[in-house]
Amino acid sequence: MTRADCIRELLAEYANQRTRNELELDARIAEAGARDPEILRLREENMHLAFDAMKRIMATSDPEACRTAAEQMKQRGVFNNAQIRRRLTDLGLPQDYLELHYRCEACRDTGYVGEAPSRFCACFEKALRVKQYEDGSMAGTDEQCFANFDLSRFPEESGQRAMMKNLRRFCEEYADTFPKTVLPNLVISGGTGVGKTFLLNCIYERVVSRGQSAIRVTAFRMFEAMRRQHFTDGSGEVDFEQLLRVPLLLIDDLGSEPMMRNITKEYLFTLLNERMAARRHIVIATNLSEEDIMRVYGERVGSRLLDRSRCAVMRLEGKDLRRL
Protein backbone atom coordinates (compact mmCIF):
# COMPACT_ATOMS: atom_id res chain seq x y z
CA MET A 1 0.00 0.00 0.00
CA THR A 2 1.44 3.36 -1.02
CA ARG A 3 1.57 6.42 1.21
CA ALA A 4 -1.24 7.97 -0.85
CA ASP A 5 -3.41 4.88 -0.30
CA CYS A 6 -2.73 5.03 3.44
CA ILE A 7 -3.66 8.72 3.54
CA ARG A 8 -6.94 8.06 1.73
CA GLU A 9 -7.82 5.24 4.13
CA LEU A 10 -6.97 7.34 7.16
CA LEU A 11 -9.01 10.32 5.96
CA ALA A 12 -11.99 7.97 5.58
CA GLU A 13 -11.40 6.64 9.10
CA TYR A 14 -11.26 10.20 10.45
CA ALA A 15 -14.53 11.03 8.65
CA ASN A 16 -16.14 7.97 10.25
CA GLN A 17 -14.84 9.09 13.64
CA ARG A 18 -16.47 12.51 13.22
CA THR A 19 -19.75 10.75 12.41
CA ARG A 20 -19.39 8.66 15.58
CA ASN A 21 -18.69 11.84 17.57
CA GLU A 22 -21.96 13.36 16.35
CA LEU A 23 -23.98 10.21 17.05
CA GLU A 24 -22.53 10.03 20.56
CA LEU A 25 -23.46 13.69 21.10
CA ASP A 26 -27.03 13.02 19.91
CA ALA A 27 -27.25 10.17 22.44
CA ARG A 28 -26.00 12.40 25.26
CA ILE A 29 -28.47 15.15 24.33
CA ALA A 30 -31.35 12.65 24.35
CA GLU A 31 -30.26 11.26 27.73
CA ALA A 32 -29.91 14.69 29.37
CA GLY A 33 -33.20 15.88 27.84
CA ALA A 34 -35.04 12.84 29.13
CA ARG A 35 -33.80 13.58 32.64
CA ASP A 36 -34.40 17.35 32.44
CA PRO A 37 -36.64 18.56 29.55
CA GLU A 38 -35.78 22.19 30.33
CA ILE A 39 -32.31 21.53 28.94
CA LEU A 40 -33.83 20.71 25.56
CA ARG A 41 -36.00 23.85 25.68
CA LEU A 42 -32.98 26.05 26.40
CA ARG A 43 -31.01 24.44 23.57
CA GLU A 44 -33.94 24.96 21.21
CA GLU A 45 -34.16 28.61 22.22
CA ASN A 46 -30.44 29.06 21.53
CA MET A 47 -30.91 27.67 18.04
CA HIS A 48 -33.49 30.36 17.25
CA LEU A 49 -31.61 33.30 18.80
CA ALA A 50 -29.33 33.91 15.83
CA PHE A 51 -32.17 33.60 13.31
CA ASP A 52 -34.37 36.02 15.24
CA ALA A 53 -31.53 38.53 15.63
CA MET A 54 -30.79 38.32 11.91
CA LYS A 55 -34.40 39.09 11.06
CA ARG A 56 -34.32 42.16 13.32
CA ILE A 57 -31.07 43.38 11.78
CA MET A 58 -32.33 42.95 8.23
CA ALA A 59 -35.54 44.87 9.09
CA THR A 60 -33.65 48.04 10.03
CA SER A 61 -30.94 50.27 8.61
CA ASP A 62 -30.13 51.81 12.00
CA PRO A 63 -26.57 50.74 13.04
CA GLU A 64 -27.41 51.20 16.71
CA ALA A 65 -30.44 48.93 16.41
CA CYS A 66 -28.26 46.29 14.71
CA ARG A 67 -25.71 46.43 17.53
CA THR A 68 -28.49 46.20 20.12
CA ALA A 69 -29.98 43.12 18.45
CA ALA A 70 -26.60 41.40 18.29
CA GLU A 71 -25.80 42.22 21.93
CA GLN A 72 -29.19 41.00 23.17
CA MET A 73 -28.71 37.74 21.26
CA LYS A 74 -25.26 37.28 22.82
CA GLN A 75 -26.43 38.04 26.38
CA ARG A 76 -29.41 35.69 26.11
CA GLY A 77 -27.21 32.94 24.73
CA VAL A 78 -24.71 33.34 27.57
CA PHE A 79 -27.55 33.22 30.12
CA ASN A 80 -29.07 30.09 28.56
CA ASN A 81 -25.73 28.32 28.41
CA ALA A 82 -25.10 29.06 32.08
CA GLN A 83 -28.52 27.58 32.90
CA ILE A 84 -27.73 24.46 30.86
CA ARG A 85 -24.39 23.98 32.63
CA ARG A 86 -26.03 24.39 36.04
CA ARG A 87 -28.70 21.81 35.20
CA LEU A 88 -26.10 19.37 33.92
CA THR A 89 -24.20 19.74 37.18
CA ASP A 90 -27.43 19.07 39.11
CA LEU A 91 -27.76 15.83 37.11
CA GLY A 92 -24.21 14.84 38.04
CA LEU A 93 -22.99 15.32 34.47
CA PRO A 94 -19.90 17.27 33.29
CA GLN A 95 -20.55 20.79 32.00
CA ASP A 96 -19.25 19.88 28.53
CA TYR A 97 -21.56 16.87 28.28
CA LEU A 98 -23.57 18.43 25.45
CA GLU A 99 -20.55 19.45 23.40
CA LEU A 100 -18.80 17.43 20.70
CA HIS A 101 -15.98 15.31 22.11
CA TYR A 102 -12.95 14.57 19.97
CA ARG A 103 -10.18 12.00 20.09
CA CYS A 104 -7.80 14.84 19.18
CA GLU A 105 -8.66 18.35 20.29
CA ALA A 106 -5.89 19.84 18.14
CA CYS A 107 -7.46 18.86 14.81
CA ARG A 108 -10.98 18.00 16.02
CA ASP A 109 -10.66 14.64 14.27
CA THR A 110 -10.16 16.17 10.84
CA GLY A 111 -6.50 15.17 10.58
CA TYR A 112 -5.49 18.75 9.70
CA VAL A 113 -4.24 21.73 11.70
CA GLY A 114 -3.27 25.30 10.87
CA GLU A 115 -4.54 27.89 8.45
CA ALA A 116 -4.45 27.33 4.69
CA PRO A 117 -2.33 25.69 3.55
CA SER A 118 -3.08 23.35 6.44
CA ARG A 119 -0.84 20.46 7.45
CA PHE A 120 -1.40 17.00 8.89
CA CYS A 121 -1.95 16.92 12.64
CA ALA A 122 0.55 15.07 14.83
CA CYS A 123 -2.13 12.46 15.58
CA PHE A 124 -2.61 11.85 11.84
CA GLU A 125 1.13 11.58 11.22
CA LYS A 126 1.39 9.02 14.02
CA ALA A 127 -1.55 7.00 12.66
CA LEU A 128 -0.03 7.19 9.18
CA ARG A 129 3.28 5.77 10.39
CA VAL A 130 1.46 2.90 12.07
CA LYS A 131 -0.60 2.15 8.95
CA GLN A 132 2.43 2.28 6.66
CA TYR A 133 4.85 0.21 8.65
CA GLU A 134 3.08 -1.92 11.23
CA ASP A 135 1.23 -5.12 10.57
CA GLY A 136 -0.92 -7.50 12.58
CA SER A 137 2.10 -9.20 14.12
CA MET A 138 2.96 -6.11 16.18
CA ALA A 139 1.32 -5.97 19.59
CA GLY A 140 -0.53 -2.89 20.76
CA THR A 141 1.35 -0.55 23.06
CA ASP A 142 -1.56 -0.63 25.51
CA GLU A 143 -0.57 -4.26 26.12
CA GLN A 144 3.21 -4.13 25.85
CA CYS A 145 4.51 -1.21 27.87
CA PHE A 146 6.59 -0.69 31.00
CA ALA A 147 3.43 -0.30 33.09
CA ASN A 148 2.47 -3.89 32.19
CA PHE A 149 5.95 -5.34 32.63
CA ASP A 150 5.42 -8.35 34.93
CA LEU A 151 8.70 -9.71 36.26
CA SER A 152 6.90 -12.65 37.86
CA ARG A 153 6.51 -14.19 34.40
CA PHE A 154 10.26 -14.80 34.22
CA PRO A 155 11.69 -17.88 35.96
CA GLU A 156 13.65 -17.03 39.06
CA GLU A 157 15.73 -20.14 39.53
CA SER A 158 17.87 -19.68 36.40
CA GLY A 159 18.56 -16.02 37.08
CA GLN A 160 16.33 -15.02 34.16
CA ARG A 161 14.17 -12.78 36.33
CA ALA A 162 17.12 -10.89 37.79
CA MET A 163 18.56 -10.41 34.30
CA MET A 164 15.25 -9.05 32.98
CA LYS A 165 14.97 -6.69 35.94
CA ASN A 166 18.31 -5.14 35.00
CA LEU A 167 17.45 -5.04 31.30
CA ARG A 168 14.11 -3.39 32.01
CA ARG A 169 15.86 -0.71 34.05
CA PHE A 170 18.32 -0.09 31.22
CA CYS A 171 15.61 0.09 28.55
CA GLU A 172 13.41 2.35 30.64
CA GLU A 173 16.30 4.74 31.20
CA TYR A 174 17.00 4.70 27.44
CA ALA A 175 13.36 5.57 26.67
CA ASP A 176 13.13 8.24 29.38
CA THR A 177 16.32 10.01 28.33
CA PHE A 178 15.78 9.81 24.55
CA PRO A 179 17.13 11.61 22.55
CA LYS A 180 19.90 12.31 25.08
CA THR A 181 20.81 8.68 25.67
CA VAL A 182 24.33 7.62 26.67
CA LEU A 183 24.57 5.57 23.47
CA PRO A 184 22.27 6.20 20.50
CA ASN A 185 21.79 2.60 19.40
CA LEU A 186 20.58 -0.54 21.11
CA VAL A 187 20.56 -4.17 19.95
CA ILE A 188 18.51 -6.67 21.93
CA SER A 189 19.31 -10.24 20.91
CA GLY A 190 18.24 -13.62 22.20
CA GLY A 191 16.28 -16.77 21.51
CA THR A 192 12.58 -17.10 20.82
CA GLY A 193 10.15 -15.93 23.49
CA VAL A 194 12.60 -14.40 25.96
CA GLY A 195 11.11 -10.88 25.85
CA LYS A 196 13.03 -9.02 23.11
CA THR A 197 9.99 -7.69 21.27
CA PHE A 198 8.29 -6.80 24.54
CA LEU A 199 11.23 -4.61 25.54
CA LEU A 200 11.30 -2.98 22.09
CA ASN A 201 7.57 -2.22 22.32
CA CYS A 202 8.01 -0.81 25.82
CA ILE A 203 10.68 1.59 24.57
CA TYR A 204 8.48 2.63 21.65
CA GLU A 205 5.43 3.26 23.85
CA ARG A 206 7.37 5.35 26.37
CA VAL A 207 9.13 7.44 23.72
CA VAL A 208 5.96 8.30 21.76
CA SER A 209 3.99 8.92 24.98
CA ARG A 210 6.59 11.59 25.77
CA GLY A 211 5.75 13.29 22.48
CA GLN A 212 8.85 12.12 20.61
CA SER A 213 8.73 10.83 17.03
CA ALA A 214 9.45 7.16 16.33
CA ILE A 215 8.66 4.44 13.81
CA ARG A 216 8.28 0.81 14.85
CA VAL A 217 8.65 -1.62 11.96
CA THR A 218 9.11 -5.35 11.44
CA ALA A 219 12.19 -6.44 9.51
CA PHE A 220 9.94 -7.66 6.71
CA ARG A 221 8.19 -4.28 6.37
CA MET A 222 11.61 -2.63 6.40
CA PHE A 223 12.67 -4.92 3.56
CA GLU A 224 9.51 -4.02 1.61
CA ALA A 225 10.40 -0.34 1.91
CA MET A 226 13.91 -1.12 0.66
CA ARG A 227 12.60 -3.18 -2.25
CA ARG A 228 10.18 -0.45 -3.35
CA GLN A 229 12.93 2.14 -3.10
CA HIS A 230 15.22 0.01 -5.25
CA PHE A 231 12.78 -0.84 -8.03
CA THR A 232 11.00 2.52 -8.27
CA ASP A 233 14.09 4.65 -7.70
CA GLY A 234 12.08 6.35 -4.97
CA SER A 235 9.50 7.86 -7.32
CA GLY A 236 6.11 7.94 -5.66
CA GLU A 237 7.43 6.30 -2.50
CA VAL A 238 8.95 7.96 0.53
CA ASP A 239 8.87 4.96 2.88
CA PHE A 240 12.61 4.38 2.93
CA GLU A 241 13.29 8.09 3.24
CA GLN A 242 11.12 8.16 6.36
CA LEU A 243 13.11 5.27 7.82
CA LEU A 244 16.23 7.34 7.24
CA ARG A 245 14.84 10.52 8.80
CA VAL A 246 12.72 9.52 11.79
CA PRO A 247 14.49 10.39 15.08
CA LEU A 248 14.03 6.88 16.52
CA LEU A 249 13.71 3.76 14.36
CA LEU A 250 12.81 0.46 16.04
CA ILE A 251 13.27 -2.72 13.96
CA ASP A 252 11.75 -5.94 15.25
CA ASP A 253 12.96 -9.43 14.30
CA LEU A 254 16.00 -8.43 12.26
CA GLY A 255 17.20 -11.50 10.38
CA SER A 256 13.73 -12.70 9.39
CA GLU A 257 13.58 -10.49 6.28
CA PRO A 258 14.25 -11.95 2.80
CA MET A 259 17.82 -11.83 1.52
CA MET A 260 17.60 -10.28 -1.95
CA ARG A 261 20.73 -9.57 -3.94
CA ASN A 262 21.65 -5.87 -4.22
CA ILE A 263 18.89 -4.90 -1.78
CA THR A 264 18.92 -6.36 1.73
CA LYS A 265 22.56 -5.91 2.76
CA GLU A 266 23.15 -2.83 0.62
CA TYR A 267 20.12 -0.89 1.81
CA LEU A 268 20.61 -1.96 5.42
CA PHE A 269 24.16 -0.59 5.21
CA THR A 270 22.80 2.66 3.77
CA LEU A 271 20.16 2.85 6.48
CA LEU A 272 22.67 2.34 9.28
CA ASN A 273 25.34 4.55 7.75
CA GLU A 274 23.03 7.48 7.02
CA ARG A 275 21.32 7.34 10.40
CA MET A 276 24.60 7.12 12.28
CA ALA A 277 26.07 10.01 10.30
CA ALA A 278 23.00 12.08 11.25
CA ARG A 279 23.21 10.84 14.89
CA ARG A 280 19.74 9.32 14.76
CA HIS A 281 18.81 6.49 17.10
CA ILE A 282 18.12 2.82 16.31
CA VAL A 283 16.74 0.02 18.47
CA ILE A 284 16.85 -3.53 17.07
CA ALA A 285 15.42 -6.81 18.36
CA THR A 286 16.84 -9.97 16.78
CA ASN A 287 17.23 -13.71 17.27
CA LEU A 288 20.72 -13.42 15.79
CA SER A 289 23.83 -13.50 17.95
CA GLU A 290 26.69 -11.10 17.26
CA GLU A 291 28.48 -13.86 15.35
CA ASP A 292 25.33 -14.51 13.31
CA ILE A 293 25.00 -10.82 12.44
CA MET A 294 28.57 -10.71 11.12
CA ARG A 295 28.03 -13.92 9.15
CA VAL A 296 24.63 -12.98 7.67
CA TYR A 297 25.23 -9.31 6.87
CA GLY A 298 28.99 -9.14 6.50
CA GLU A 299 31.70 -6.93 7.94
CA ARG A 300 30.42 -3.58 6.61
CA VAL A 301 26.98 -3.91 8.20
CA GLY A 302 28.09 -5.82 11.28
CA SER A 303 30.85 -3.40 12.25
CA ARG A 304 28.43 -0.47 12.17
CA LEU A 305 25.59 -2.26 13.86
CA LEU A 306 27.76 -3.59 16.70
CA ASP A 307 30.04 -0.58 17.15
CA ARG A 308 30.50 -0.44 20.93
CA SER A 309 31.22 3.28 20.83
CA ARG A 310 27.67 3.88 19.58
CA CYS A 311 25.70 0.76 20.45
CA ALA A 312 24.73 -1.16 23.58
CA VAL A 313 24.29 -4.87 22.84
CA MET A 314 22.13 -6.85 25.26
CA ARG A 315 21.89 -10.63 25.06
CA LEU A 316 18.81 -12.25 26.63
CA GLU A 317 19.19 -15.82 27.81
CA GLY A 318 16.55 -18.08 29.29
CA LYS A 319 13.43 -20.12 28.70
CA ASP A 320 10.78 -19.43 26.09
CA LEU A 321 8.03 -17.66 28.06
CA ARG A 322 5.40 -18.80 25.58
CA ARG A 323 5.98 -22.40 26.67
CA LEU A 324 5.81 -21.82 30.41
Side-chain angles (χ1 to χ4, degrees):
M1 183 183 295
T2 67
R3 177 179 168 86
D5 292 334
C6 291
I7 289 173
R8 280 192 292 271
E9 280 197 6
L10 269 181
L11 289 175
E13 291 174 15
Y14 271 60
N16 290 335
Q17 180 61 44
R18 293 195 298 275
T19 299
R20 286 193 294 271
N21 294 345
E22 292 170 359
L23 291 174
E24 290 169 2
L25 174 59
D26 290 342
R28 293 196 299 272
I29 291 171
E31 175 204 352
R35 296 174 63 184
D36 185 349
E38 180 64 11
I39 289 177
L40 292 183
R41 191 198 69 77
L42 289 167
R43 284 179 57 85
E44 184 74 17
E45 182 178 326
N46 278 350
M47 292 174 61
H48 290 94
L49 285 174
F51 180 71
D52 293 341
M54 186 61 65
K55 286 198 302 183
R56 291 172 57 189
I57 290 172
M58 293 180 64
T60 180
S61 58
D62 181 2
E64 185 61 31
C66 292
R67 283 193 292 271
T68 300
E71 184 62 28
Q72 288 176 345
M73 175 193 69
K74 178 181 176 181
Q75 290 179 0
R76 186 63 186 179
V78 169
F79 176 80
N80 286 353
N81 287 334
Q83 292 297 305
I84 291 172
R85 289 193 295 270
R86 181 182 63 78
R87 289 177 175 275
L88 288 172
T89 300
D90 290 343
L91 294 175
L93 300 173
Q95 293 190 351
D96 66 349
Y97 196 66
L98 302 185
E99 299 173 11
L100 276 169
H101 295 168
Y102 305 100
R103 288 186 308 179
C104 177
E105 290 292 338
C107 70
R108 297 194 170 191
D109 296 341
T110 64
Y112 294 98
V113 293
E115 301 296 332
S118 57
R119 64 186 187 280
F120 287 140
C121 182
C123 72
F124 191 92
E125 291 283 6
K126 179 180 177 181
L128 182 59
R129 288 195 297 271
V130 171
K131 185 172 284 290
Q132 283 185 276
Y133 296 108
E134 298 189 9
D135 54 31
S137 67
M138 304 197 82
T141 54
D142 55 337
E143 304 168 7
Q144 298 201 356
C145 57
F146 287 117
N148 292 338
F149 198 108
D150 184 6
L151 281 173
S152 67
R153 292 196 59 205
F154 298 88
E156 189 172 15
E157 61 276 6
S158 62
Q160 191 172 353
R161 184 180 300 176
M163 176 187 65
M164 286 304 300
K165 182 178 181 180
N166 291 330
L167 293 179
R168 171 191 171 166
R169 185 183 303 115
F170 183 92
C171 290
E172 196 163 11
E173 181 179 354
Y174 180 96
D176 286 338
T177 57
F178 175 84
K180 298 181 179 180
T181 56
V182 176
L183 295 174
N185 303 330
L186 174 61
V187 173
I188 308 171
S189 73
T192 301
V194 294
K196 304 182 302 298
T197 297
F198 192 97
L199 284 172
L200 180 140
N201 289 336
C202 287
I203 293 171
Y204 173 77
E205 189 278 336
R206 179 64 60 83
V207 168
V208 297
S209 70
R210 293 177 50 234
Q212 303 286 346
S213 183
I215 288 176
R216 178 181 63 159
V217 61
T218 61
F220 180 80
R221 297 297 290 270
M222 175 190 69
F223 167 79
E224 283 297 297
M226 294 172 174
R227 184 182 61 81
R228 289 194 298 267
Q229 178 77 8
H230 182 77
F231 286 110
T232 65
D233 195 27
S235 58
E237 294 288 349
V238 293
D239 296 11
F240 188 70
E241 290 298 319
Q242 290 180 337
L243 297 184
L244 290 174
R245 294 195 307 265
V246 68
L248 174 61
L249 174 63
L250 303 98
I251 305 170
D252 187 33
D253 208 13
L254 184 74
S256 64
E257 72 281 3
M259 277 292 174
M260 185 173 288
R261 185 178 178 183
N262 297 326
I263 294 181
T264 307
K265 294 180 183 179
E266 289 76 3
Y267 278 87
L268 182 57
F269 173 80
T270 298
L271 182 67
L272 295 173
N273 202 48
E274 291 292 323
R275 291 189 61 82
M276 289 178 180
R279 304 189 64 80
R280 297 188 178 113
H281 291 57
I282 306 172
V283 175
I284 292 174
T286 179
N287 286 359
L288 302 177
S289 65
E290 293 186 54
E291 294 76 15
D292 291 334
I293 289 173
M294 297 297 292
R295 174 179 53 81
V296 171
Y297 297 106
E299 178 70 24
R300 286 205 315 161
V301 170
S303 64
R304 281 164 175 76
L305 187 56
L306 303 173
D307 182 357
R308 288 300 198 277
S309 68
R310 299 184 55 82
C311 181
V313 180
M314 304 191 307
R315 179 71 185 177
L316 277 64
E317 305 286 354
K319 298 179 180 179
D320 185 344
L321 300 180
R322 301 186 186 100
R323 297 186 177 183
L324 296 181

